[in-house]
Amino acid sequence: MSEPIVIPLPYRPPWEWAQFHEHFALRLLPGVEALDEARYSRNFRLGEVRGWFSVRPLPERDALELTLSASAASVRELLAAHVRKMFDLDTDPQTLLRHFAQDDAIGPLIAARPSLRLPAAFDPFEQAVRAIINQQVSIKAAVTITRRLVERLGEPQLDPGMPMLDRLFPTPDAIAGATLDSIGMPAKRLAALQRFAASVAQGALELHVEDGADALVARLCELPGIGPWTAQYIALRGFGEADAFPAADLGLLKAPTWGPGGIGAKALARRAEAWRPWRAYAAIHLWRNYAGR
């Protein structure tokens, strides 16, 4: 049996493992993903290639250690690029500090936690499914429903190198064609999910940001049941788009930095124009501020 492939992924400090550990712990899909104190692992599908990877921090080297299944040899560079985006390893914290230095709301938040980055998904389709399910429910409830999808529709993946990872996330075809009436979602939201999956499966929806995040948001909003919040969140979490900004998000509107009354969505959207092209990082710090951490 071929040995796993090990690749170091350096980053510019500060960068903190704790932020990513917390992010994935809240959203973990057992069977597809695994997490322990110092390692995140998951299954992947890239074209016809299937396998697994795991990541652990190497703080003494300002790097992550990426370990790939031997099956990933042909896509190792593409996979490494995906993981770099997923863990936001290419952002320069000094750029963010300079950009927000004069902003009286975001500047102090970034100065206090310059290590915060933008956690993103490995698979944009998977993240989009999660975002649609997450509409008007808690993260915990959304994870429960998504787990049911995986259990019912996820293809088995058995690899002796990572036995706890035994499922692949369902394909667009599988979700679009399934009977999911008892999955635990309202009928309208379920219909929106399956229309989205069908659009991706049929090629009617181009799920990429090659023409920019705004173009992706516009394409997503053409689908019934997907509004600006969901579309911006998919751009932010699904692709790690630095300027995506779901201005109507409750956590952003109620962050303590705005005072007891919060801020209105239109006022926040106007204020956020000054934060371009890094609005997503403002969102990360406002969410952290809202959570009180």
Side-chain angles (χ1 to χ4, degrees):
M1 184 173 60
S2 300
E3 291 294 317
I5 302 160
V6 179
I7 304 172
L9 302 176
Y11 57 78
R12 295 183 183 181
W15 181 98
E16 61 177 85
W17 168 252
Q19 179 198 5
F20 286 85
H21 187 279
E22 178 185 287
H23 175 81
F24 291 118
L26 284 172
R27 298 162 174 83
L28 198 74
L29 290 177
V32 175
E33 302 172 292
L35 183 71
D36 59 32
E37 185 176 346
R39 185 179 295 274
Y40 168 85
S41 307
R42 71 161 290 139
N43 283 327
F44 74 87
R45 182 194 293 110
L46 280 177
E48 299 301 315
V49 179
R50 302 179 182 189
W52 56 263
F53 70 82
S54 71
V55 174
R56 71 182 183 99
L58 299 173
E60 70 281 0
R61 294 181 56 186
D62 291 334
L64 302 185
E65 182 183 82
L66 171 62
T67 303
L68 312 177
S69 59
S71 62
S74 64
V75 293
R76 58 186 293 169
E77 292 184 6
L78 179 59
L79 193 58
H82 273 263
V83 174
R84 291 195 69 85
K85 174 63 74 171
M86 188 178 183
F87 287 86
D88 196 10
L89 301 182
D90 294 318
T91 296
D92 180 359
Q94 295 303 315
T95 298
L96 299 177
L97 284 166
R98 289 192 298 269
H99 182 73
F100 288 99
Q102 303 306 314
D103 190 276
D104 58 3
I106 307 301
L109 299 180
I110 290 186
R113 293 289 294 278
S115 57
L116 292 187
R117 300 289 181 97
L118 176 55
F122 176 79
D123 178 6
F125 172 75
E126 177 183 321
Q127 179 56 57
V129 169
R130 289 174 179 249
I132 294 168
I133 292 172
N134 199 193
Q135 292 172 354
Q136 300 178 354
V137 300
S138 68
I139 292 175
K140 183 178 180 180
V143 169
T144 297
I145 295 169
T146 310
R147 186 180 299 168
R148 292 172 188 156
L149 270 183
V150 170
E151 291 169 352
R152 296 185 192 186
L153 305 176
E155 300 171 36
Q157 164 135 315
L158 302 176
D159 190 309
M162 198 66 74
M164 77 284 284
L165 300 178
D166 59 5
R167 290 278 165 182
L168 289 161
F169 193 82
T171 64
D173 278 314
I175 294 175
T179 300
L180 297 172
D181 296 344
S182 60
I183 200 73
M185 295 174 66
K188 286 186 177 180
R189 197 177 314 140
L190 178 58
L193 173 63
Q194 294 196 284
R195 276 193 298 264
F196 164 77
S199 295
V200 174
Q202 296 161 9
L205 173 64
E206 298 179 1
L207 198 60
H208 62 74
V209 289
E210 293 172 8
D211 50 355
D214 289 345
L216 171 65
V217 168
R219 289 195 296 273
L220 288 168
C221 286
E222 290 176 357
L223 294 177
I226 297 184
W229 179 89
T230 305
Q232 290 283 353
Y233 194 80
I234 291 170
L236 190 154
R237 291 292 194 198
F239 292 91
E241 276 297 299
D243 203 38
F245 192 74
D249 184 89
L250 180 64
L252 303 184
L253 301 176
K254 299 299 183 183
T257 193
W258 305 123
I263 190 173
K266 290 183 179 179
L268 179 58
R270 287 194 299 269
R271 179 149 190 173
E273 286 300 306
W275 303 336
R276 289 184 182 271
W278 304 104
R279 294 184 302 171
Y281 290 89
I284 292 296
H285 283 271
L286 288 170
W287 278 323
R288 181 66 57 142
N289 182 243
Y290 175 71
R293 296 189 300 274

